[in-house]
Amino acid sequence: KVRGQVLPLSKHKFASNVIEKCVQYGTKRDRQMLVDEVLQSRPDGTCPLTLMMRDQFANYVVQKMLDCVEEDQRVLLLNKIKPQLPALRKVAYGKHLITKVEKYLSDQ
């Protein structure tokens, strides 16, 4: 089961590949649950998506989500990512994610 564990699994070198495959090959409902989980604020006020964007492995999961989810889910992700772009530019692992986000934003 990955439900409830998307953040810690995404930050793991090998488990992140499993999460990417879940995003890529899961049903529409599965992808919706994964996106909902990463967008959900935690009790400490942090958002898993924000933490994932800055992680060396989890940022690839975010990129896969942007590629594979339905348009309405992609818009939700992009709206959450957009305010983080300036800070993301300072993170070594953010370059590819920034490129992908800017591509999607220019397509809107």
Side-chain angles (χ1 to χ4, degrees), residues 21-72:
K21 297 298 181 196
C22 290
V23 171
Q24 186 173 1
Y25 297 107
T27 65
K28 181 179 176 182
R29 185 170 173 264
D30 292 336
R31 284 193 290 272
Q32 178 72 51
M33 286 190 299
L34 294 172
V35 170
D36 287 348
E37 184 175 330
V38 302
L39 290 173
Q40 188 73 40
S41 291
R42 300 184 326 177
D44 64 2
T46 60
C47 175
L49 179 65
T50 305
L51 300 172
M52 290 170 68
M53 291 186 306
R54 292 175 168 81
D55 184 79
Q56 61 179 333
F57 304 117
N59 82 83
Y60 290 102
V61 175
V62 176
Q63 291 178 57
K64 185 62 74 173
M65 284 182 170
L66 289 171
D67 287 339
C68 296
V69 297
E70 301 292 320
E71 184 62 27
D72 60 327

Side-chain angles (χ1 to χ4, degrees), residues 64-107:
K64 185 62 74 173
M65 284 182 170
L66 289 171
D67 287 339
C68 296
V69 297
E70 301 292 320
E71 184 62 27
D72 60 327
Q73 294 172 307
R74 185 177 300 114
V75 169
L76 290 173
L77 288 168
L78 289 170
N79 286 339
K80 196 75 160 183
I81 294 170
K82 206 181 327 181
Q84 303 293 326
L85 285 179
L88 198 56
R89 292 184 198 286
K90 299 173 186 163
V91 178
Y93 309 111
K95 190 185 326 178
H96 297 292
L97 179 57
I98 289 168
T99 302
K100 188 166 295 274
V101 167
E102 288 175 342
K103 173 191 167 287
Y104 280 115
L105 290 174
S106 70
D107 290 347

